Amino acid sequence: QRSNEVKLEFYTTVTNGRLTSTWQNAVNSFEGQRVAVTIQKAKKKRSNPQNAYFHGCVVPIVTNAMLDAGIRTSNSETKEMLKRKFLSEDVPFADGQYLERTKSTSELSTSEFNDFIAQVQQFAAEWLSVEIPDPNEQLVLL
């Protein structure tokens, strides 16, 4: 997004076929300009507690397990590897070709983020022989 571009994002409810917010003034600020309008069902983005759990528990456990397996990595590198493994998608390009794109965790809804964490937990159990506790579980170290 260029610095001279303005983007307004609104969250509202549709009641009886009408938007129930006072967004008209903001729309008026675009008078005489060509605009793009997108309407979609709002998804609840991943939560701050989910993000804290992922960065404070999941990533460090996977990083330590990888280090124990002889794979030298940092928490930030581990996060990027997990994103590439589980959040990559093919985006159509020209002439039937595809480009690979890796989603950011900030793009995920709360349920998509839960699915991502479940995939990482399964990967860690199967490939690294380590258990990642659920957010509501306490890990007992022996």
Side-chain angles (χ1 to χ4, degrees):
Q1 184 172 353
R2 291 179 294 196
S3 61
N4 64 345
E5 291 182 5
V6 176
K7 179 180 177 182
L8 301 173
E9 188 170 303
F10 298 94
Y11 291 90
T12 186
T13 304
V14 176
T15 305
N16 297 322
R18 295 191 177 271
L19 299 176
T20 57
S21 84
T22 57
W23 52 273
Q24 191 61 48
N25 289 340
V27 171
N28 289 342
S29 70
F30 288 97
E31 182 66 35
Q33 299 179 40
R34 187 167 186 260
V35 298
V37 178
T38 302
I39 297 176
Q40 65 186 33
K41 184 177 178 181
K43 295 188 292 184
K44 188 175 178 189
K45 294 290 186 179
R46 64 128 205 254
S47 67
N48 287 337
Q50 281 179 313
N51 195 46
Y53 164 70
F54 179 66
H55 285 96
C57 180
V58 175
V59 171
I61 288 174
V62 173
T63 298
N64 288 334
M66 291 175 72
L67 290 169
D68 290 345
I71 303 167
R72 297 196 46 84
T73 187
S74 66
N75 283 341
S76 62
E77 290 169 332
T78 297
K79 177 185 174 183
E80 292 305 314
M81 285 187 266
L82 294 172
K83 286 175 21 182
R84 275 194 308 275
K85 180 160 184 63
F86 299 111
L87 299 178
S88 291
E89 61 185 3
D90 289 331
V91 178
F93 194 58
D95 301 327
Q97 300 295 314
Y98 289 85
L99 294 175
E100 186 177 54
R101 174 186 180 272
T102 302
K103 286 184 181 181
S104 168
T105 58
S106 64
E107 294 176 59
L108 303 178
S109 68
T110 52
S111 64
E112 290 169 331
F113 200 83
N114 284 339
D115 292 344
F116 170 56
I117 288 174
Q119 290 175 309
V120 173
Q121 287 173 313
Q122 183 175 354
F123 165 77
E126 292 176 3
W127 290 89
L128 299 169
S129 300
V130 66
E131 180 183 349
I132 299 173
D134 287 330
N136 56 351
E137 292 179 331
Q138 285 188 341
L139 183 62
V140 178
L141 301 175
L142 302 177

PDB file of all heavy atoms in Angstrom, residues 25 32 64 73 77-78 89 93 98 124 126 138 140:
ATOM      1  N   ASN A  25     -20.121   8.868   6.290  1.00  0.00           N
ATOM      2  CA  ASN A  25     -19.198  10.014   6.266  1.00  0.00           C
ATOM      3  C   ASN A  25     -17.837   9.627   5.714  1.00  0.00           C
ATOM      4  O   ASN A  25     -17.227  10.376   4.950  1.00  0.00           O
ATOM      5  CB  ASN A  25     -19.052  10.623   7.657  1.00  0.00           C
ATOM      6  CG  ASN A  25     -20.303  11.349   8.107  1.00  0.00           C
ATOM      7  OD1 ASN A  25     -21.133  11.717   7.283  1.00  0.00           O
ATOM      8  ND2 ASN A  25     -20.436  11.538   9.407  1.00  0.00           N
ATOM      9  N   GLY A  32     -15.881  11.379  -5.835  1.00  0.00           N
ATOM     10  CA  GLY A  32     -15.233  11.616  -7.123  1.00  0.00           C
ATOM     11  C   GLY A  32     -14.083  10.680  -7.428  1.00  0.00           C
ATOM     12  O   GLY A  32     -13.466  10.784  -8.487  1.00  0.00           O
ATOM     13  N   ASN A  64      13.702 -26.688  20.743  1.00  0.00           N
ATOM     14  CA  ASN A  64      14.542 -27.522  21.612  1.00  0.00           C
ATOM     15  C   ASN A  64      14.588 -28.963  21.135  1.00  0.00           C
ATOM     16  O   ASN A  64      15.650 -29.601  21.181  1.00  0.00           O
ATOM     17  CB  ASN A  64      14.056 -27.443  23.058  1.00  0.00           C
ATOM     18  CG  ASN A  64      14.367 -26.100  23.686  1.00  0.00           C
ATOM     19  OD1 ASN A  64      15.312 -25.413  23.286  1.00  0.00           O
ATOM     20  ND2 ASN A  64      13.571 -25.702  24.650  1.00  0.00           N
ATOM     21  N   THR A  73      18.857 -24.543  14.956  1.00  0.00           N
ATOM     22  CA  THR A  73      17.827 -23.590  14.563  1.00  0.00           C
ATOM     23  C   THR A  73      17.553 -22.637  15.718  1.00  0.00           C
ATOM     24  O   THR A  73      17.941 -22.895  16.854  1.00  0.00           O
ATOM     25  CB  THR A  73      16.528 -24.326  14.137  1.00  0.00           C
ATOM     26  OG1 THR A  73      15.611 -23.374  13.618  1.00  0.00           O
ATOM     27  CG2 THR A  73      15.885 -25.068  15.284  1.00  0.00           C
ATOM     28  N   GLU A  77      13.607 -19.101  13.235  1.00  0.00           N
ATOM     29  CA  GLU A  77      13.754 -20.030  12.107  1.00  0.00           C
ATOM     30  C   GLU A  77      12.758 -21.181  12.218  1.00  0.00           C
ATOM     31  O   GLU A  77      12.182 -21.604  11.216  1.00  0.00           O
ATOM     32  CB  GLU A  77      15.181 -20.582  12.058  1.00  0.00           C
ATOM     33  CG  GLU A  77      16.218 -19.559  11.665  1.00  0.00           C
ATOM     34  CD  GLU A  77      17.642 -20.040  11.873  1.00  0.00           C
ATOM     35  OE1 GLU A  77      17.884 -20.888  12.755  1.00  0.00           O
ATOM     36  OE2 GLU A  77      18.510 -19.561  11.142  1.00  0.00           O
ATOM     37  N   THR A  78      12.534 -21.666  13.434  1.00  0.00           N
ATOM     38  CA  THR A  78      11.563 -22.740  13.644  1.00  0.00           C
ATOM     39  C   THR A  78      10.173 -22.280  13.236  1.00  0.00           C
ATOM     40  O   THR A  78       9.448 -22.998  12.546  1.00  0.00           O
ATOM     41  CB  THR A  78      11.561 -23.193  15.121  1.00  0.00           C
ATOM     42  OG1 THR A  78      12.846 -23.730  15.425  1.00  0.00           O
ATOM     43  CG2 THR A  78      10.492 -24.237  15.382  1.00  0.00           C
ATOM     44  N   GLU A  89       0.577 -22.416   0.405  1.00  0.00           N
ATOM     45  CA  GLU A  89      -0.495 -22.672  -0.557  1.00  0.00           C
ATOM     46  C   GLU A  89      -0.012 -22.287  -1.947  1.00  0.00           C
ATOM     47  O   GLU A  89       0.862 -21.440  -2.090  1.00  0.00           O
ATOM     48  CB  GLU A  89      -1.750 -21.890  -0.184  1.00  0.00           C
ATOM     49  CG  GLU A  89      -1.544 -20.388  -0.180  1.00  0.00           C
ATOM     50  CD  GLU A  89      -2.757 -19.599   0.306  1.00  0.00           C
ATOM     51  OE1 GLU A  89      -3.755 -20.219   0.703  1.00  0.00           O
ATOM     52  OE2 GLU A  89      -2.696 -18.371   0.279  1.00  0.00           O
ATOM     53  N   PHE A  93      -0.930 -18.719 -11.232  1.00  0.00           N
ATOM     54  CA  PHE A  93      -0.160 -17.699 -11.928  1.00  0.00           C
ATOM     55  C   PHE A  93      -0.494 -17.836 -13.406  1.00  0.00           C
ATOM     56  O   PHE A  93      -1.487 -18.446 -13.774  1.00  0.00           O
ATOM     57  CB  PHE A  93       1.341 -17.899 -11.634  1.00  0.00           C
ATOM     58  CG  PHE A  93       2.223 -16.752 -12.008  1.00  0.00           C
ATOM     59  CD1 PHE A  93       2.024 -15.495 -11.476  1.00  0.00           C
ATOM     60  CD2 PHE A  93       3.267 -16.929 -12.901  1.00  0.00           C
ATOM     61  CE1 PHE A  93       2.839 -14.428 -11.809  1.00  0.00           C
ATOM     62  CE2 PHE A  93       4.093 -15.872 -13.246  1.00  0.00           C
ATOM     63  CZ  PHE A  93       3.881 -14.629 -12.692  1.00  0.00           C
ATOM     64  N   TYR A  98       1.882 -22.126 -11.035  1.00  0.00           N
ATOM     65  CA  TYR A  98       1.538 -21.729  -9.677  1.00  0.00           C
ATOM     66  C   TYR A  98       2.764 -21.181  -8.963  1.00  0.00           C
ATOM     67  O   TYR A  98       3.885 -21.597  -9.239  1.00  0.00           O
ATOM     68  CB  TYR A  98       0.994 -22.923  -8.879  1.00  0.00           C
ATOM     69  CG  TYR A  98      -0.370 -23.354  -9.338  1.00  0.00           C
ATOM     70  CD1 TYR A  98      -0.529 -24.231 -10.402  1.00  0.00           C
ATOM     71  CD2 TYR A  98      -1.513 -22.860  -8.707  1.00  0.00           C
ATOM     72  CE1 TYR A  98      -1.793 -24.613 -10.825  1.00  0.00           C
ATOM     73  CE2 TYR A  98      -2.775 -23.242  -9.129  1.00  0.00           C
ATOM     74  CZ  TYR A  98      -2.902 -24.118 -10.187  1.00  0.00           C
ATOM     75  OH  TYR A  98      -4.151 -24.481 -10.598  1.00  0.00           O
ATOM     76  N   ALA A 124       5.253 -32.682  15.874  1.00  0.00           N
ATOM     77  CA  ALA A 124       6.237 -32.789  16.955  1.00  0.00           C
ATOM     78  C   ALA A 124       6.196 -34.172  17.595  1.00  0.00           C
ATOM     79  O   ALA A 124       7.249 -34.745  17.909  1.00  0.00           O
ATOM     80  CB  ALA A 124       5.980 -31.707  18.003  1.00  0.00           C
ATOM     81  N   GLU A 126       5.093 -37.071  16.181  1.00  0.00           N
ATOM     82  CA  GLU A 126       5.490 -38.125  15.239  1.00  0.00           C
ATOM     83  C   GLU A 126       6.940 -38.029  14.793  1.00  0.00           C
ATOM     84  O   GLU A 126       7.603 -39.045  14.640  1.00  0.00           O
ATOM     85  CB  GLU A 126       4.575 -38.098  14.013  1.00  0.00           C
ATOM     86  CG  GLU A 126       3.148 -38.509  14.321  1.00  0.00           C
ATOM     87  CD  GLU A 126       2.221 -38.383  13.122  1.00  0.00           C
ATOM     88  OE1 GLU A 126       2.679 -38.025  12.015  1.00  0.00           O
ATOM     89  OE2 GLU A 126       1.008 -38.632  13.305  1.00  0.00           O
ATOM     90  N   GLN A 138      -1.033 -28.340  32.052  1.00  0.00           N
ATOM     91  CA  GLN A 138       0.260 -28.027  32.659  1.00  0.00           C
ATOM     92  C   GLN A 138       1.227 -29.117  32.286  1.00  0.00           C
ATOM     93  O   GLN A 138       0.898 -30.304  32.326  1.00  0.00           O
ATOM     94  CB  GLN A 138       0.139 -27.928  34.177  1.00  0.00           C
ATOM     95  CG  GLN A 138      -0.529 -26.673  34.639  1.00  0.00           C
ATOM     96  CD  GLN A 138      -0.449 -26.535  36.154  1.00  0.00           C
ATOM     97  OE1 GLN A 138      -0.227 -27.483  36.868  1.00  0.00           O
ATOM     98  NE2 GLN A 138      -0.613 -25.315  36.604  1.00  0.00           N
ATOM     99  N   VAL A 140       4.351 -31.292  33.132  1.00  0.00           N
ATOM    100  CA  VAL A 140       5.085 -31.730  34.298  1.00  0.00           C
ATOM    101  C   VAL A 140       6.466 -32.199  33.826  1.00  0.00           C
ATOM    102  O   VAL A 140       6.572 -33.114  33.020  1.00  0.00           O
ATOM    103  CB  VAL A 140       4.360 -32.861  35.046  1.00  0.00           C
ATOM    104  CG1 VAL A 140       5.186 -33.337  36.229  1.00  0.00           C
ATOM    105  CG2 VAL A 140       2.983 -32.394  35.486  1.00  0.00           C
TER     106      VAL A 140
END
